[in-house]
Amino acid sequence: MDVRSAVPGLPLRLAQNLGDPAICIAVLDGPVDQAHPCLAGADLTRLGTLVQDPAGIGPMSLHGTHVTSLLFGQPGSPVVGIAPRCRGLLLPVFRDGSDTRVSQLDLARAIERAVQEGAHVVNISGGERTPGGVPDPILARALQLCEDNGVLVVAAVGNDGCDCLQVPAAVSSVVAVGATDGSGEPLAANNWGEEYQNNGVLAPGQHIVGAAPGGGEQALTGSSFATPVVSGVAALLLASQLADGHAPDPLAVRDAIVGGATECDPVVAPDCRKYLAGKLNGARAYALITRGRDIAVTTSDSPTMQAQDVQPAAQQAVPAAPEAQPAGVQAACEGAPPAEVPVEPAVGAQASAVPAAAAPARPAPGVSPAASCECGGESAKSLVYVIGTIGFDFRTEARRDSFRQQMDPFAVSAPGGEQPETYTTVAANPYDPNQLSAYLARNPWASDKLTWTLNMDRTPLYALEAELPVGMDWGEPVVDPTWDSDRLEQAAGRPADLAEMLTNLSAFPPVSHVYKMFRDAIAGQARPVDEGGFISRVSVPGVLTNRTVRLFSGQVVPVVEVKSRGIHTWNEAALVEASVEQVTADVAKTTEDELDEDILRQNVRAFLDKVYYQFRNLGQTPADRALNYAGTNAFMFTNEIRAGLMSGRYVPGRNVGLYTLDTITVAKSPYDRVDSDCWDVVATFFDPENERRARVSYLFTIDVSDELPVSLAPAHRFLGT
């Protein structure tokens, strides 16, 4: 079936519309064969992602090429797409091979990149089934970024044939798409669920003819191929807004598509749940847009998310018993080809559909394409300012063993020994942060032989490398020549001595500043929380390169070139005590009331915890970089915490308690300088014992145009939100 002829209810003006180059559609899918004849002349740009492989003959290359052709296939070619004149961004997320799934974290990376590159519509023909349709917090943040920036996300509902939800389709700000057959009835393999009744539509998705890698065409089935139908119609509606002299409004288009869907008639259809909110109706959507009617806007208040992965939802023509699937977001595709479609055996996917009455097995985590697996150019570098903890990875067993053999035996206290304390040695453990840090202090030239990582909740986000101009200089002594080898060995087993020695090493400059910070951080992170020298977080400024590395676990992460100017570690215990001391002193000056210092410590720690969890992001978008920098300022300068906690002094009435953090928001600043990118970060505090008292807000203006963000002025304080 030709995709343009399959689109139902298009008015003549939309049917003749081929899109507009000013409208941008991002396709997050498998690698695309851009040399296919149907894409000759299409305005397509491939962006750097963790999937750097060229298009091949595998199932995800077929999936990505097919989906892309349904949108951008050029007039006069064998496959004419719905919006061939629109601009396209290609962000490969699904990889050919045995595991076609991608984590929700990596899907979020691609979504954020698409927003930064100016996408109006983001097409995701895949997803991962999750309990309650709850996404990972990082993915939820990326989808909220789309909502905040007026970007429409269109995603497949999946093809498990069950009352179940998958993300991102189940998120209320997303348009969820299921597939219909040639007669307009929902495919048996479609997923359905309560959330889809509010944000889901059905579109043609059976035997849709699209491009195949190598120059051919193929008919495929699944919600993967219904999804670009909806994305394409959305692009045409945006182009029509432009033609009428209006700014494109993707969120208004979203509401018109969902609000204009043809609802199910319960008299005709026995089970209207499978029709979602209704069938795509281009004419009604166009009428709603052109008439300018007010349409109820679906909010995007996402529930708290769990760390899950997304997977492709596969469909099978004849439902079969489900099989558990590995972790990851995957394409929403049909599990077996119809008889008339020849497919290489290696291309077919396992069946994952089930009869409607059966409850499908819970798949392992992972985002996957939502397609019919009947199938059997780079932009500029991006700046990063991210907060997390430092980790290390050996990448291979050989590299790990080389460290183990080079490291000296580890000195430990001998039990039962008489005074003075005696020691014995054991084999080195390269995974012990204290041993590794001590080894690197004596052998700094080995620092760049490790793969350093920036972690969040023990999940690596980036691989970290020092910037090249700050290389290592071996012209100075590595350690104090008065230290003998026995003392070095013994210090490795005694954290207090080790911390002293690492501090003293700062007087000798042979090590790259960045690698020295990493080395000290892994030892500091291993110390007890309430002990001096404990490091809770590290802030890292850098540039996101176009390179990736594969870690020992098999996870692929992007490489960030870290800038030495602006990298900082946080000593949370010291910060808490400094804040308690200052707040106590301030209270003593203004009132005779005494503060319970233990409660005050708990308040400060609660403040820090809330700040950190508010900052859980990839640190790539300008807003997140501004947010993270404002947070590191708050951690580095205790007077900002003190001012927030003592906000009650600025509010009329008797000040009897401490304020606490309420919200943190980020918005584009109206104040700007030439060649700058300024954002306003507002932290608002309230009195938890008297909510009628006025809130106090602090505004920080941050310029993120350089590698290291900078505050433009001292914080401004004002009452109210």
Side-chain angles (χ1 to χ4, degrees), residues 41 53 61 76 105 139 171 185 225 294 306 326 335 382 440 467 498 558-559 563 569 588:
D53 310 325
S61 291
L105 166 64
L139 177 57
V171 177
E185 297 302 309
F225 313 115
D294 292 332
Q306 304 168 348
S382 302
L440 294 176
E467 57 183 332
L498 178 61
V559 175
K563 302 303 178 182
T569 58

Side-chain angles (χ1 to χ4, degrees), residues 111-170:
I111 292 173
E112 288 196 3
R113 183 72 183 277
V115 174
Q116 289 179 272
E117 296 292 337
H120 295 92
V121 180
V122 177
N123 186 96
I124 306 173
S125 291
E128 180 195 11
R129 209 168 77 231
T130 65
V134 177
D136 177 270
I138 294 291
L139 177 57
R141 189 177 183 88
L143 295 174
Q144 185 62 50
L145 176 72
C146 293
E147 179 79 357
D148 294 342
N149 286 271
V151 177
L152 171 60
V153 179
V154 184
V157 299
N159 306 305
D160 303 298
C162 63
D163 183 353
C164 51
L165 302 170
Q166 74 173 23
V167 293

Side-chain angles (χ1 to χ4, degrees), residues 355-519:
R362 167 79 177 101
V367 180
S368 59
S372 168
C373 293
E374 305 175 333
C375 41
E378 292 300 329
S379 60
K381 294 179 180 178
S382 302
L383 299 178
V384 171
Y385 192 90
V386 64
I387 300 173
T389 57
I390 298 299
F392 55 91
D393 194 279
F394 298 103
R395 296 180 60 183
T396 66
E397 292 184 352
R399 180 60 58 88
R400 178 200 60 198
D401 292 343
S402 71
F403 269 84
R404 176 184 288 118
Q405 293 171 15
Q406 292 292 323
M407 293 169 64
D408 294 329
F410 184 55
V412 296
S413 299
E418 299 178 357
Q419 295 298 331
E421 191 173 10
T422 59
Y423 296 89
T424 186
T425 58
V426 297
N429 177 8
Y431 291 106
D432 184 312
N434 287 323
Q435 293 184 50
L436 182 60
S437 183
Y439 168 74
L440 294 176
R442 299 191 298 273
N443 304 273
W445 48 83
S447 297
D448 62 348
K449 305 306 184 290
L450 281 170
T451 295
W452 298 95
T453 61
L454 190 288
N455 298 348
M456 184 177 294
D457 297 332
R458 299 185 179 181
T459 299
L461 298 185
Y462 302 104
L464 305 177
E465 294 180 357
E467 57 183 332
L468 294 179
V470 195
M472 300 179 184
D473 175 11
W474 310 124
E476 298 292 335
V478 176
V479 297
D480 187 330
T482 64
W483 296 345
D484 57 34
S485 58
D486 290 338
R487 185 184 174 196
L488 286 170
E489 284 187 2
Q490 294 173 8
R494 295 184 294 187
D497 287 357
L498 178 61
E500 176 188 355
M501 295 173 69
L502 291 178
T503 301
N504 291 337
L505 278 175
S506 63
F508 300 91
V511 189
S512 157
H513 173 66
V514 172
Y515 288 132
K516 180 183 181 300
M517 292 286 286
F518 294 166
R519 182 197 71 201

Side-chain angles (χ1 to χ4, degrees), residues 530 572-573 575-581 583-584 595-611 641 645 658-661 688:
D530 294 320
E572 184 173 306
L575 176 60
V576 169
E577 292 307 312
S579 299
V580 168
E581 180 180 347
V583 171
T584 302
L595 288 177
D596 185 321
E597 290 194 1
D598 288 337
I599 293 179
L600 179 56
R601 286 187 181 88
Q602 293 176 16
N603 202 328
V604 174
R605 286 196 183 278
F607 171 86
L608 298 180
D609 287 343
K610 187 166 186 177
V611 167
I641 297 177
L645 296 175
L658 298 175
Y659 268 48
T660 190
L661 180 66

